[in-house]
Amino acid sequence: MTEESKQSTALNKLVHDARAPLNRISMNAELIKLVLENDMPKQKAIEALDKIILNCQQCSESLQNITDRNND
């Protein structure tokens, strides 16, 4: 495997790792929307918001990893 191919594979993994929390953020935002539209318990919305915040932090860390590796 060439060095360029290894770098491409590593970058693809980092991007994949950054997308995972974004997908969870989207899913939890949809859950909050359903909670609000259907007058469900407020606690469900709060739990989903906590998950969104956590996943935003995870996404930020993943993006920082991409930046750090790019600067190596």
Side-chain angles (χ1 to χ4, degrees), residues 54-66:
L54 175 65
N55 284 289
C56 284
Q57 293 166 342
Q58 289 174 343
C59 188
S60 179
E61 290 171 13
S62 293
L63 293 172
Q64 185 62 50
N65 286 338
I66 292 170

Side-chain angles (χ1 to χ4, degrees), residues 22-54:
L22 290 174
N23 290 333
R24 291 189 298 266
I25 290 166
S26 177
M27 181 184 67
N28 280 291
E30 288 290 332
L31 175 61
I32 292 169
K33 183 178 177 186
L34 288 172
V35 166
L36 295 175
E37 288 176 344
N38 295 306
D39 200 29
M40 294 170 71
K42 178 180 167 182
Q43 187 59 33
K44 280 200 176 279
I46 291 171
E47 290 169 4
L49 287 167
D50 286 339
K51 290 177 184 176
I52 287 173
I53 292 166
L54 175 65

